[in-house]
Amino acid sequence: MGELPYSSLDFAGVAQEPVQRILIVDDEARLRDSYRELLAGRAEIVECADGREAMARLDSDTFDVVLLDIRLPDISGLAVLQWARQRAISAIVIMVSADPDIDSAIDALRGGAGEFVRKPCDPELLLRAVERALQRRRLERSHALLAARLEQSERLHRFLVEQAPDIIYTLDEAGRFVFVNGRVESLLGFCREELVGQPYTELVHEEDRERARYAFAERRTGGRASANVEIRLRCKNDEVVHVDNRFIVAMLSATGIYETEMPRDALRFMGTYGIARDITERKRAEEKISFQAFHDLLTQLPNRVLFRDRLALALSQAARRATLLGVMFIDLDRFKTVNDSFGHAEGDQLLKTVAQRLKHCLRAGDTLARLGGDEFTVMLPDLLHADDVVGVAEKIAQELGAPLMLGGQEFRPTASIGIAVFPRDGETVEALIAHADLAMYQVKNAGKNSFGFYSPHMSEARRERLSLENDLQLAIERREFVLHYQPQFSQRSGQMIGMEALLRWQHPRLGLLAPGGFIALAEETGLICRISDWVLQEGCRQLALWHADGHRHLRLALNLSARDFERKDLLERVVAAPARHGIGCDRLEIEITESLLLDDAEDVIATVRQLRQHGVRVAIDDFGMRYSSLNYLRRFPVSSIKIDQSFVRDLGRDQGAASIIHAIVGIAEGFGLHLIAEGVESEEQARRLADLGCEDMQGYYFGRPLPADEVLEWATP
């Protein structure tokens, strides 16, 4: 059993090592050129463009390594691999593919591929894979040469056995080790001396001993003997590198040994000869590929595919047992703000923390999954009552609300949770997830940081919303929008000074719709910018007509959405509209909301400043209702502020309203801003406003919003 040094072998007359050859099989010429350039100088390169040509080459010629693409124009690369194994082609196959299906990778490895490389290939990874394969072929060729020359030598046979990368053993008729090579020590940590005379079960993992009975101590021979049986072998100590430092996975092949000098019908069983090849790394690769296919890599939670699979199984069990099952759709609140404020690294850390907190709220039999982004789903099987989900939702809200540190600041996560219960809210995977999603959006719209159950009216509302969204798209194409105009008057002169353009939608089925019925949907779907373009052009067109009729003193006020200020070409669009219709930019006033001042303020300030430099007036609408601040007025170069109608409505009923209006008048005077009150509905309100110092007004007292041809009667040249 001693080792034989290479120097003692007689290599006289051995032919020079032949040039190694690589066959590249890929239907993309560009990739073949890249591979050839990368591998130049390492071996002789031969190329094929399809599977049948590759089989013809392999059938007629000899290659050391084959770079084989799975997707070929005529037959699958896996079929070529199977054909090569059936023909006992000795070349090492490296599968190269962009196929996202992990089954292809597993099938390739199980089918005998030496390695699997995912496209697009990392050149270093591909080069190392080819080098390993070429080195293995050189070793195989060297071993084959040695085996041929030393076939009759027991001593040299022992040398080859000891140098083999696999565990090679023989057992006696009772299943005790008679011989085992030195590889058992490097793989499992056992010395050969302590194994000789011991039963084979000493090495076998306790859970695999039943299977090992039929494979490890094999009595059969020939085609009936055990081949490629997976068995876990136990490691002796933690000094050996292996899975979990406890066992390795081996591919076992064994055959019975019989006394050959006896008559065939009286052969005596002498023991078993076997080989155990370590496939631990291959198994780990398969498990990793499988895990990645069914789990979210950031949080390690089940992904959408695995969640749906588990939910389908749980639904069939719930139907059979007549039990309830809950599905929760969880969406983090303000997650986009976290990413925008602290960066994606902190956002990822938040998701991992949330995943851990959610786990703590669930039972062992529940399933938590991450669908993507900041969306999580939970499956709660075996419920006695639908309200049992409430306790879980409350626990989640409490657990999530604990503070954590993000970017050096304290942050308290919250979530909106939608709930659907089987069978009340749906009986299929798709229905339950969709209905829980609908319930979650209802919670979002109601203010977030809460939970709610699905109800059938939500589906009806969703259908109506989708219908309205489709109608809104058609409305732009069919020009169903109209502008109504409300006059603005000067109390001092008694004359009309301007018009505010107010959008209406002449819906073919629902009639005339005010902006409150569709503007939010237009903003969410991104259609608002196209609508705003139309409002700009139509409003300026009408103003030009009024100017042509002698009302040149009139100016036009119109509203723009916050989404409009996200467009880089807003300035050009606004300035171009009055220029196109021959009116001055100073006759146009753009109204913005106070909330816009908080959104990306620096960009908004720059846009407002550019508009003012071109002469366009800019007004803050509904002033005093939200985030009014003297600092905003100092930073934003606006020209006007509009007193919100709620203050006007409370005049005479609430002394505080008069005080607020008086303060706003003082602010306008202090900053040199034009002031106008909206929502004036009575003579008394108009008089009180004038007494408080606000002279310009609009409201039903002066005129309701009307189409352009009807509002002309208010005009005074």
Side-chain angles (χ1 to χ4, degrees), residues 6 42 44 49 62 109 153 181 202 264 309 343 355 357 364 380 395 516-517 520 526 553 593 620 699-700 713 715:
Y6 281 101
R42 289 175 169 80
E44 178 184 342
T62 301
L109 293 172
S153 170
N181 67 348
E202 186 74 13
R264 184 173 181 82
D309 183 69
R357 292 184 176 184
L380 304 169
K395 187 176 181 180
H553 64 289
T593 61
I620 300 178
Y700 284 3
E713 62 184 77

Side-chain angles (χ1 to χ4, degrees), residues 125-142:
L125 292 178
L126 180 61
L127 191 57
R128 285 200 294 270
V130 172
E131 288 287 4
R132 286 194 296 269
L134 291 174
Q135 175 64 16
R136 179 177 164 187
R137 287 292 290 159
R138 286 192 289 269
L139 289 174
E140 289 175 351
R141 185 177 289 113
S142 176

Side-chain angles (χ1 to χ4, degrees), residues 182-334:
R183 185 63 169 147
V184 73
E185 184 170 353
S186 60
L187 278 181
L188 303 177
F190 289 92
C191 294
R192 288 180 293 186
E193 290 75 13
E194 63 183 308
L195 289 178
V196 171
Q198 298 297 318
Y200 69 86
T201 52
E202 186 74 13
L203 292 186
V204 180
H205 192 284
E206 55 270 18
E207 296 179 4
D208 291 350
R209 285 176 182 169
E210 184 64 26
R211 189 180 335 139
R213 268 194 346 172
Y214 300 99
F216 219 104
E218 178 64 81
R219 287 175 169 266
R220 296 170 297 181
T221 61
R224 299 174 61 242
S226 295
N228 299 330
V229 179
E230 283 190 19
I231 289 182
R232 286 173 293 177
L233 301 182
R234 185 175 64 85
C235 296
K236 179 181 178 181
N237 55 54
D238 292 343
E239 296 177 0
V240 184
V241 179
H242 45 70
V243 177
D244 294 336
N245 286 330
R246 290 182 291 113
F247 61 86
I248 70 167
V249 182
M251 188 75 78
L252 185 69
S253 297
T255 184
I257 304 174
Y258 289 85
E259 175 60 63
T260 58
E261 295 181 358
M262 300 182 67
R264 184 173 181 82
D265 56 354
L267 291 179
R268 183 174 67 87
F269 176 68
M270 299 179 62
T272 303
Y273 170 82
I275 298 175
R277 172 165 294 177
D278 179 17
I279 61 168
T280 306
E281 290 302 319
R282 193 187 87 184
K283 294 295 293 184
R284 292 180 66 181
E286 290 178 2
E287 291 170 0
K288 183 176 181 180
I289 292 171
S290 180
F291 182 87
Q292 291 176 350
F294 298 107
H295 290 79
D296 170 56
L297 298 185
L298 177 65
T299 62
Q300 306 297 296
L301 295 176
N303 62 11
R304 183 188 305 270
V305 175
L306 184 54
F307 180 80
R308 292 172 66 89
D309 183 69
R310 290 186 181 178
L311 180 55
L313 177 61
L315 285 177
S316 64
Q317 293 173 344
R320 194 163 53 248
R321 301 170 184 169
T323 58
L324 303 181
L325 178 148
V327 172
M328 307 176 74
F329 201 107
I330 304 173
D331 187 272
L332 296 185
D333 301 326
R334 300 172 296 151

Side-chain angles (χ1 to χ4, degrees), residues 618-672:
V618 179
I620 300 178
D621 196 13
D622 301 332
F623 187 80
M625 286 300 294
R626 296 176 180 85
Y627 315 102
S628 300
S629 164
L630 297 182
N631 185 49
Y632 288 138
L633 294 179
R634 180 181 61 81
R635 296 178 65 203
F636 280 78
V638 297
S639 54
S640 307
I641 55 178
K642 298 185 73 174
I643 300 175
D644 186 73
Q645 60 183 338
S646 63
F647 301 124
V648 176
R649 185 171 55 248
D650 290 340
L651 278 175
R653 296 182 298 178
D654 183 356
Q655 186 58 38
S659 300
I660 293 174
I661 292 175
H662 182 71
I664 294 175
V665 170
I667 291 172
E669 291 176 350
F671 283 93

Side-chain angles (χ1 to χ4, degrees), residues 39-252:
L39 302 174
R42 289 175 169 80
E44 178 184 342
I45 307 298
V46 178
E47 299 177 17
C48 289
D50 57 53
R52 299 195 184 283
E53 183 182 359
M55 289 191 291
R57 286 278 191 176
L58 290 169
D59 203 28
S60 62
D61 212 339
T62 301
F63 296 90
D64 295 283
V65 177
V66 180
L67 285 180
L68 180 59
D69 189 13
I70 288 183
R71 292 186 174 177
L72 295 172
D74 52 350
I75 59 174
S76 166
L78 294 174
V80 176
L81 176 63
Q82 182 180 11
W83 173 88
R85 289 297 164 256
Q86 291 173 347
R87 298 294 292 268
I89 305 263
S90 61
I92 297 174
V93 177
I94 300 176
M95 300 300 290
V96 183
S97 176
D99 189 350
D101 187 357
I102 59 99
D103 289 336
S104 298
I106 295 174
D107 289 345
L109 293 172
R110 288 179 173 172
E115 299 206 38
F116 185 94
V117 179
R118 182 80 65 186
K119 285 183 179 179
C121 303
D122 183 326
E124 287 296 326
L125 292 178
L126 180 61
L127 191 57
R128 285 200 294 270
V130 172
E131 288 287 4
R132 286 194 296 269
L134 291 174
Q135 175 64 16
R136 179 177 164 187
R137 287 292 290 159
R138 286 192 289 269
L139 289 174
E140 289 175 351
R141 185 177 289 113
S142 176
H143 287 168
L145 179 61
L146 287 173
R149 295 179 59 85
L150 309 176
E151 184 177 1
Q152 303 302 319
S153 170
E154 172 66 20
R155 184 168 61 90
L156 294 180
H157 173 69
R158 289 283 183 132
F159 170 78
L160 291 177
V161 169
E162 291 302 325
Q163 297 303 311
D166 307 322
I167 296 175
I168 300 176
Y169 67 91
T170 56
L171 304 176
D172 63 17
E173 63 274 16
R176 296 184 295 262
F177 284 107
V178 175
F179 167 81
V180 61
N181 67 348
R183 185 63 169 147
V184 73
E185 184 170 353
S186 60
L187 278 181
L188 303 177
F190 289 92
C191 294
R192 288 180 293 186
E193 290 75 13
E194 63 183 308
L195 289 178
V196 171
Q198 298 297 318
Y200 69 86
T201 52
E202 186 74 13
L203 292 186
V204 180
H205 192 284
E206 55 270 18
E207 296 179 4
D208 291 350
R209 285 176 182 169
E210 184 64 26
R211 189 180 335 139
R213 268 194 346 172
Y214 300 99
F216 219 104
E218 178 64 81
R219 287 175 169 266
R220 296 170 297 181
T221 61
R224 299 174 61 242
S226 295
N228 299 330
V229 179
E230 283 190 19
I231 289 182
R232 286 173 293 177
L233 301 182
R234 185 175 64 85
C235 296
K236 179 181 178 181
N237 55 54
D238 292 343
E239 296 177 0
V240 184
V241 179
H242 45 70
V243 177
D244 294 336
N245 286 330
R246 290 182 291 113
F247 61 86
I248 70 167
V249 182
M251 188 75 78
L252 185 69

